[in-house]
Amino acid sequence: NETVRVRMDRLDALVNLTGELVIARSRFQLVARQLRPLQRLHELGADVRDLRSAGHDLRAQLAQLDLDAATLRTVDLLVALGDKVATEHEQFGAVQRCVKDLDAAAYDLDGVVSGIHEAVLQVRMVPLDTVFRRLQRVVRDTAEAVGKEVDLEIVGGDTQIDKRVADELVNPLVHILRNAVDHGLEATADRRAAGKPPRGRIVVEGAQRGSSVWIGVRDDGRGIDAARVVQKAVEKGLLTSEQAATIGEAEAQRLIFAPGFSTAQRITEVSGRGMGMDIVEAAVKGLRGSLQLQSQVGVGTTFGIQLPPSMSILSSLLVAVQGTTFSLPLTAVREIVELRTLACHSVQGRRTILVRDQALPLVGLPEIYRFLVPAAPAAGSAPAAFAVVFGNPGQEIALAVDALLGKEDLVIKPLCAELAAVRGLAGMAIRGDGEVTLILYPTGFA
């Protein structure tokens, strides 16, 4: 078990280089795909030989006829041209073999680059336990400050995560745990009155879910009272009375992520300043993750953080809208449906489709963003063909797209200053063909 200590900046440089290698691989594969039709040169060769033979047969038949010299010269010219094409085609046999070799090399390169990239990312991986251990004191100190008895249980600390992500996760998890101890868990007397154990219980769990890392913080406290949250939101001007009357329970609970929102009755060193959950959501978004919330009054609350496996490479679904390509993280896509098989309804003035007995709003990117050069739809042109379903549980939307362009691993670059403030964008990426693609941030967009 010999080890070597390596500076993080050197690992970052190595990860950046592998990212550029992924782009180069995509370009190489694109060229190989474009040259693939040349592998059928042998079929063209057979046609050329047939044409050459037919030309000679025609010349022999015409020679027996009483034709003028000009016609015969034209036929001879065509026969000679056929002979020349056949001779030149024979020289392309090596090209055909080279194209086959190129295609095989592209296949081999894909495996090698994927292996190198995976190995480099593994070098930066650390167990979640390095983060979870720092949370034990936070829970203990917060419980002492508010006079509560709390047991903290940690599960799945051996789950691997990127070192950079682990460092950025500490503050969001501290915010969530402090809120869980202060707001989520009841006082000892209240817990006894509710028939609960006098000691509150918080479970912090890490797990690998598919290609994503999932971190959950669950308490057995009072839960989030949606009615109280809505009342507070109306008082703070975040909602109108009309909106408060129609808002759903899950959407009402997510109002706790609004900037400056707090239901605390008094300001303490722990909470009540309205700074916390909006910071948590912003931090998770900065990690290109999603923050989920499930809560039941009297039972408890669960915060779930889903993070991509890598901060540099993103497995993406490419979609086309009005001739422009966008990408969506594959981990965020719940499913894809064909719109021609579904009926579209209007609910409160919004387009809605029914997917697996769930009504989802159907949204188009031209309704959200203004395209610089919008493509004017031709008369009688077909509407969007597919809908991509994504979003937090209870807040899913269906995004209408014109075409699905397939899956591609993209190297993520930060947004330029002009686009940094645009909501719903997570970054940009350079594709194998050199085009720049905007990456949608699914939960923020929803």
Side-chain angles (χ1 to χ4, degrees), residues 2 36 48 54 70 95 144 173 199 206 238 277 286 340 431:
E2 295 181 355
R36 199 166 288 167
V48 169
V95 174
E144 291 178 356
L173 289 176
R199 297 182 65 88
L238 300 174
M277 298 314 298
R340 64 181 177 83
R431 297 178 57 202

Side-chain angles (χ1 to χ4, degrees), residues 146-289:
V146 298
K148 296 179 181 179
E149 297 178 346
V150 182
D151 292 327
L152 175 64
E153 180 182 350
I154 293 177
V155 182
D158 57 346
T159 303
Q160 299 289 311
I161 193 170
D162 189 284
K163 176 69 166 60
R164 292 292 186 194
V165 178
D167 293 340
E168 297 292 333
L169 266 178
V170 175
N171 286 336
L173 289 176
V174 166
H175 276 296
I176 292 175
L177 283 171
R178 283 178 174 169
N179 276 331
V181 175
D182 192 25
H183 290 299
L185 298 177
E186 310 94 332
T188 302
D190 295 335
R191 291 182 65 85
R192 285 197 177 99
K196 294 182 177 181
R199 297 182 65 88
R201 182 169 178 263
I202 298 177
V203 178
V204 179
E205 179 183 2
Q208 190 80 29
R209 292 189 175 179
S211 60
S212 301
V213 175
W214 185 84
I215 300 171
V217 179
R218 182 175 72 252
D219 66 63
D220 63 347
R222 61 171 61 91
I224 299 176
D225 187 345
R228 184 182 174 199
V229 171
V230 170
Q231 179 185 355
K232 203 73 175 180
V234 173
E235 293 175 2
K236 289 182 172 291
L238 300 174
L239 288 179
T240 64
S241 300
E242 292 77 13
Q243 290 173 327
T246 58
I247 192 171
E249 182 179 8
E251 191 175 356
Q253 290 174 342
R254 289 194 67 87
L255 288 172
I256 65 173
F257 297 113
F261 186 88
S262 176
T263 57
Q265 300 296 327
R266 58 190 178 86
I267 296 176
T268 68
E269 293 185 0
V270 178
S271 62
R273 294 176 173 82
M275 298 174 60
M277 298 314 298
D278 60 320
I279 297 175
V280 171
E281 188 173 40
V284 173
K285 177 184 176 182
L287 297 172
R288 295 195 312 278

Side-chain angles (χ1 to χ4, degrees), residues 339-361:
L339 289 177
R340 64 181 177 83
T341 63
L342 301 173
C344 185
H345 308 278
S346 178
V347 179
Q348 297 181 350
R350 300 182 66 180
R351 290 189 302 165
T352 305
I353 60 174
L354 202 62
V355 179
R356 302 187 188 280
D357 298 327
Q358 181 183 5
L360 301 176

Side-chain angles (χ1 to χ4, degrees), residues 299-319:
V299 177
T301 301
T302 299
F303 289 94
I305 300 175
Q306 187 166 348
L307 298 167
S310 168
M311 288 293 292
S312 57
I313 305 293
L314 184 69
S315 294
S316 304
L317 172 68
L318 299 179
V319 299

